[in-house]
């Protein structure tokens, strides 16, 4: 038996391969991204793709499942909101071959706009749910999810969290097996969710969940650890690991692997005779509400709260256990390092041009590397809610501004991947509503924030094959918008960038700016740049700090002069050079 160290995400990918999955789709999002990246290593056996959003990813997987092959769709927690429309109805249809939705939640908002707990989706959408605690379980539970989903005709949810996705632990590898493809046969009564069929399927899914609940009582995915204590802990996922670290063998455990539906019988038998039941869970009081609804007194959320990540330290403090090891002190004292736009980032040029015209603009942002423009020194936008909203919130905002006599123009800002994800439909609304807005696509030719995933605009797909690149400018023109209202500019070139914003400010009605320049970290960009960088002539520098206004992390101010403190990260983009009135900054080719 081969044993390797894998992250949870890698182990899910391996589990999918061992389970015989044939189709996998996802939209990237931390902490789920590496699942599809690793599935692509099996591209000879698994067709995999970055879909344009989580809804289409899920629908691709639904199609494959109905078509008779095992399929998986992976996403971060907020992605499940986008995918929830097909998920709620697919739950009624059930599956032909297994269908697994993987949700990677982000307690503590390490890289997310909220910390929603997607366990709540399972009862709401009527999905069978498994929650792994480590990498081995990630692999095994992925395989089990396909078996259980097929056995009970249920769509399954594998619910993970950041620490499960990204922690590494030992995994025993297996072989690729899984069920052979099931032939597709026409069954509209099962798969066409018109009211007449949906009513019957609602009955079926309830029955199927009850069958899974029966099974859960004796399933090896749930585990009781009897340490002879009068205190029992009920937990699941990473919280079980934290509970073990905090309580050790001083309590009994009910570790739930199947967290929807939960076996009442199992919980009742575990709790019987115990003096105290603690529910240790991160996020919402999901297990606690369930256990309390069974009439079993228990304690959890009142001690732990529902915000932020859980850890053994928090549990020890909440339950008055012995002092924590010193390692926590070290963690607490680590200095914060807020993320910044990279040296040479094209978004910096856009935000600088916006910042000098700030008084005339109300700006709405979105989610991507360009979100970092919200911080000092640019304070590039005030509002940022969810993907795609950067183009639709301005519609309502501009109507409100007009009603109140606010003369500022409302700008919307989003990136290329976000435009494909849901920004385009928002643009359609802007055109349809004759909105008086300027919508800006910061097209850096890649999905940068999540680690350079291909998207509909790239000529390569996830598997490395050549595919047609879908042109954003043509998409914009396809709305019928007058071409004179669309400006395509290089955001680093301040003359072009500034002129486009000025024109937008002078134009009544819709205006679109495509600020197009590839991400500075793209391999092709780095290669084409051939080590070019900028240098600052110290004799010419007057120490006026004009170049510091762009906050490039490659620059510093020392001894009353600007310097390129980190020449290795300088890309020679020359944005700083455009700031200098004294010609002190110049680009040198092949400077490294
Ligand atoms: C619904 C949803 N799905 C996924 C994410 C994760 N996510 C955040 S930013 C981003 C990519 C943005 O790419 P792009 O719009 O091209 O901007 P860039 O980072 O390249 O500047 C993704 C996938 C999210 N926050 N919300
Ligand atoms: S990864 Fe690319 S787009 Fe993101 S901040 Fe860095 S240079 Fe800018
Ligand atoms: S040229 Fe100037 S702005 Fe561009 S990366 Fe180098 S130091 Fe930063």
């Amino acid at each position: 038996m081969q044993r390797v160290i894998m992250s949870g995400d890698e182990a899910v990918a391996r589990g999918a391969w061992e389970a015989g999955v044939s189709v996998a789709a996802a939209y990237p999002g931390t902490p789920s991204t590496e699942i599809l990246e690793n599935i692509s290593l099996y591209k000879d056996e698994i067709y995999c793709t970055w879909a344009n959003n989580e809804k289409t990813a899920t629908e691709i997987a639904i199609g494959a499942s109905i078509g008779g092959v095992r399929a998986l769709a992976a996403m971060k927690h907020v992605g499940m909101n986008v995918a929830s429309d097909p998920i709620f109805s697919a739950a009624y249809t059930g599956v032909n071959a297994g269908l697994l939705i993987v949700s990677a939640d982000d307690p503590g908002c390490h890289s997310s706009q909220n910390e929603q707990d997607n366990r709540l989706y399972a009862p709401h959408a009527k999905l069978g749910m498994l929650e792994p605690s480590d990498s081995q379980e990630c692999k095994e539970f992925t395989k089990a999810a396909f078996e259980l989903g097929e056995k009970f005709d249920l769509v399954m949810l594998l619910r993970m969290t950041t620490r499960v996705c990204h922690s590494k632990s030992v995994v025993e590898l297996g072989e690729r097996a899984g069920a052979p493809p099931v032939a597709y046969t026409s069954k509209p009564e099962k798969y066409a969710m018109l009211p007449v069929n949906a009513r019957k399927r609602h009955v079926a899914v309830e029955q199927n969940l009850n069958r899974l609940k029966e099974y859960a009582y004796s399933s090896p995915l749930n585990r009781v650890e009897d340490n002879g204590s009068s205190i029992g802990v009920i937990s699941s996922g990473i919280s079980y690991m934290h509970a073990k670290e905090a309580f050790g063998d001083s309590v009994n455990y009910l570790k739930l692997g199947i967290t929807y539906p939960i076996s009442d019988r199992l919980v009742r038998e575990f709790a019987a005779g115990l003096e105290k039941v603690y529910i240790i869970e991160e996020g919402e009081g999901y297990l606690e509400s369930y256990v309390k609804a069974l009439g079993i007194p228990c304690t959890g959320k009142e001690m732990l709260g529902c915000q932020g990540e859980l850890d053994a330290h928090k549990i020890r403090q909440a339950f008055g256990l012995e002092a924590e090891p010193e390692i926590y002190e070290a963690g607490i004292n680590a200095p914060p390092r807020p993320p910044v736009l990279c040296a040479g980032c094209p978004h910096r040029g856009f935000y600088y041009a916006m910042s000098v015209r700030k008084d005339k603009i109300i700006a709405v942002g979105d989610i991507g590397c360009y979100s970092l423009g919200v911080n000092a020194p640019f304070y590039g936008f005030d509002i940022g809610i969810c993907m795609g909203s950067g183009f639709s919130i301005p519609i309502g905002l501009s109507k409100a501004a007009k009603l109140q006599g606010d003369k500022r123009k409302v700008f919307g800002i989003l990136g290329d991947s976000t435009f494909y994800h849901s920004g385009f439909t928002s643009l359609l609304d802007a055109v349809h509503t004759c909105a008086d807005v300027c919508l800006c696509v910061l097209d850096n030719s890649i999905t940068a924030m999540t680690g350079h995933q291909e998207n509909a605009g790239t000529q390569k797909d996830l598997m490395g094959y050549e595919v047609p690149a879908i042109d954003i400018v043509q998409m914009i023109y396809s709305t019928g918008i007058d071409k004179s209202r669309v400006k395509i500019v290089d955001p680093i070139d301040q003359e072009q960038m500034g002129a486009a914003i000025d024109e937008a400010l002078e134009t009544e009605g819709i205006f679109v700016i495509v600020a197009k320049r590839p991400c500075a970290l793209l391999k092709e960009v780095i290669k084409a740049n051939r080590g070019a960088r900028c240098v600052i002539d110290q004799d010419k520098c007057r120490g006026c700090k004009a170049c510091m206004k762009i906050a490039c992390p490659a620059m510093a101010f020392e001894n009353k002069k600007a310097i390129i403190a980190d020449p290795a990260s300088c890309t020679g983009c020359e944005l700083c050079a455009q700031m200098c009135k004294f010609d002190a900054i110049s680009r040198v080719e092949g400077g490294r």
Side-chain angles (χ1 to χ4, degrees):
M1 185 81 69
Q2 201 189 344
R3 287 156 66 89
V4 296
I5 293 178
M6 282 183 161
S7 70
D9 281 350
E10 288 170 316
V12 170
R14 177 73 191 192
W17 179 80
E18 290 182 14
V21 165
S22 298
V23 173
Y27 183 70
T30 310
S32 70
T33 310
E34 296 89 335
I35 296 173
L36 256 269
E37 285 178 341
N38 281 282
I39 285 184
S40 75
L41 304 177
Y42 307 109
K43 66 180 183 196
D44 292 341
E45 289 139 314
I46 306 180
Y47 174 82
C48 54
T49 182
W50 290 125
N52 278 300
N53 62 43
E54 294 84 354
K55 177 178 183 291
T56 57
T58 300
E59 288 158 352
I60 290 167
I62 290 171
S65 155
I66 294 175
V69 297
R70 286 185 171 179
L72 171 153
M75 59 207 70
K76 69 180 286 156
H77 59 326
V78 285
M80 220 171 142
N81 304 334
V82 180
S84 61
D85 195 8
I87 288 174
F88 273 70
S89 297
Y92 276 26
T93 72
V95 301
N96 187 20
L99 171 62
L100 179 61
I101 311 295
V102 184
S103 169
D105 295 10
D106 187 16
C109 293
H110 290 286
S111 49
S112 306
Q113 60 268 43
N114 72 26
E115 47 183 343
Q116 72 187 49
D117 184 339
N118 278 3
R119 292 179 301 170
L120 298 167
Y121 264 118
H124 194 190
K126 306 192 182 301
L127 311 171
M129 173 165 62
L130 306 185
E131 273 188 86
S133 297
D134 62 14
S135 299
Q136 180 72 43
E137 286 189 353
C138 284
K139 183 177 82 88
E140 294 312 322
F141 284 23
T142 297
K143 290 164 74 175
F146 284 102
E147 280 152 27
L148 295 177
E150 286 167 5
K151 187 173 161 124
F152 299 111
D153 194 10
L154 289 169
V155 176
M156 299 297 290
L157 174 65
L158 187 78
R159 191 269 187 167
M160 303 166 67
T161 51
T162 306
R163 300 294 162 185
V164 178
C165 294
H166 288 169
S167 312
K168 294 200 169 193
S169 56
V170 174
V171 176
E172 283 187 1
L173 301 184
E175 292 306 315
R176 181 164 166 89
V182 195
Y184 167 75
T185 47
S186 168
K187 284 186 197 161
E189 68 287 0
K190 178 161 159 63
Y191 294 116
M193 284 304 93
L194 304 171
V196 63
N197 296 331
R199 285 184 209 110
K200 291 181 193 139
R201 290 304 308 172
H202 189 183
V203 176
V205 69
E206 298 295 346
Q207 287 168 348
N208 293 337
L209 284 167
N210 277 334
R211 292 197 297 137
L212 178 57
K213 187 172 183 165
E214 280 295 306
Y215 165 86
Y217 173 69
S218 53
S219 167
L221 302 177
N222 297 322
R223 189 169 74 226
V224 172
E225 294 170 28
D226 187 350
N227 293 316
S229 174
S230 58
I231 299 173
V233 163
I234 303 179
S235 193
S236 64
I238 199 65
S239 305
Y240 163 77
M241 295 299 199
H242 297 318
K244 287 286 278 191
E245 196 180 334
F247 292 104
D249 290 340
S250 68
V251 297
N252 298 347
Y253 294 93
L254 172 57
K255 178 194 181 308
L256 291 172
I258 302 178
T259 44
Y260 193 75
I262 297 171
S263 167
D264 302 354
R265 208 168 131 207
L266 187 62
V267 173
R268 282 188 205 286
E269 284 180 15
F270 175 74
L274 290 174
E275 272 172 33
K276 283 183 190 157
V277 176
Y278 297 155
I279 311 291
I280 304 297
E281 60 188 327
E282 204 168 51
E284 302 302 322
Y286 167 76
L287 297 176
E288 185 174 341
S289 306
Y290 195 86
V291 174
K292 280 188 168 151
L294 294 178
I296 300 169
C298 57
T299 312
K301 284 294 127 185
E302 71 210 69
M303 314 287 282
L304 296 169
C306 65
Q307 301 91 358
E309 274 195 301
L310 193 59
D311 58 34
H313 170 70
K314 281 189 188 168
I315 299 171
R316 284 193 185 103
Q317 279 202 326
F319 288 87
L321 303 175
E322 88 279 8
E324 62 275 7
E326 274 183 7
I327 187 169
Y328 289 106
E329 294 300 326
I332 287 160
N333 293 332
R337 289 176 299 156
V340 293
L341 293 169
C342 303
C345 176
H347 301 335
R348 178 172 288 105
F350 171 81
Y351 280 116
Y352 180 74
M354 289 282 282
S355 69
V356 294
R357 293 159 176 86
K358 214 176 15 244
D359 294 348
K360 300 173 184 161
I361 293 171
I362 305 176
V364 181
D366 206 299
I367 306 177
C369 280
Y370 48 89
S371 305
L372 302 172
V374 76
N375 296 326
F378 304 123
Y379 302 110
F381 57 89
D382 305 326
I383 301 162
I385 303 290
C386 67
M387 287 192 77
S389 67
F391 272 14
S392 26
I393 288 176
I395 302 171
L397 196 59
S398 64
K399 304 282 179 204
K402 191 149 278 178
L403 286 170
Q404 293 171 70
D406 192 331
K407 295 270 184 295
R408 290 174 294 173
K409 182 117 183 165
V410 180
F411 276 56
I413 304 160
L414 49 70
D416 48 328
S417 186
T418 306
F419 182 78
Y420 297 118
H421 180 278
S422 44
F424 183 59
T425 46
S426 303
L427 172 65
L428 298 181
D429 277 318
V431 174
H432 180 70
T433 56
C434 305
D436 184 10
V437 293
C438 174
L439 302 180
C440 309
V441 187
L442 309 197
D443 180 1
N444 59 1
S445 309
I446 203 75
T447 316
M449 180 163 243
T450 42
H452 284 182
Q453 289 75 31
E454 297 75 17
N455 63 39
T458 55
Q459 281 174 333
K460 238 176 40 173
D461 70 4
L462 168 63
M463 297 180 290
Y465 299 125
E466 285 252 325
V467 288
I470 299 164
D471 185 25
I472 286 177
V473 174
Q474 294 305 323
M475 289 173 75
I476 294 165
Y477 289 159
S478 77
T479 64
I481 185 171
D482 193 304
K483 286 188 181 174
S484 67
R485 289 172 176 267
V486 181
K487 286 283 165 301
I488 301 134
V489 294
D490 175 352
I492 292 291
D493 183 327
Q494 287 303 288
E495 220 174 285
Q496 281 182 32
M497 190 66 250
I501 298 173
D502 288 339
E503 198 177 335
L505 288 171
E506 283 152 20
T507 307
E508 176 100 18
I510 192 157
F511 200 88
V512 179
I513 296 175
V514 181
K516 193 167 170 55
R517 185 179 175 111
C519 165
L521 299 194
L522 275 173
K523 265 190 268 165
E524 310 82 85
V525 172
I526 292 169
K527 203 168 152 201
N529 199 33
R530 294 163 179 264
R533 64 184 170 91
C534 276
V535 289
I536 303 180
D537 184 331
Q538 295 294 294
D539 293 334
K540 287 187 178 173
C541 174
R542 307 260 187 104
C544 71
K545 289 192 178 174
C547 59
M548 304 306 290
K549 287 185 199 154
I550 57 168
C552 175
M555 302 181 79
F557 200 75
E558 258 179 38
N559 302 324
K560 300 187 178 165
K561 302 266 179 176
I563 55 163
I564 310 285
D566 184 5
S569 69
C570 171
T571 65
C573 75
E574 295 183 282
L575 182 60
C576 52
Q578 295 171 65
M579 304 292 128
C580 180
K581 287 194 198 121
F582 307 106
D583 241 359
I585 308 180
S586 57
R587 178 176 153 111
V588 286
E589 302 300 327
R592 239 172 267 144

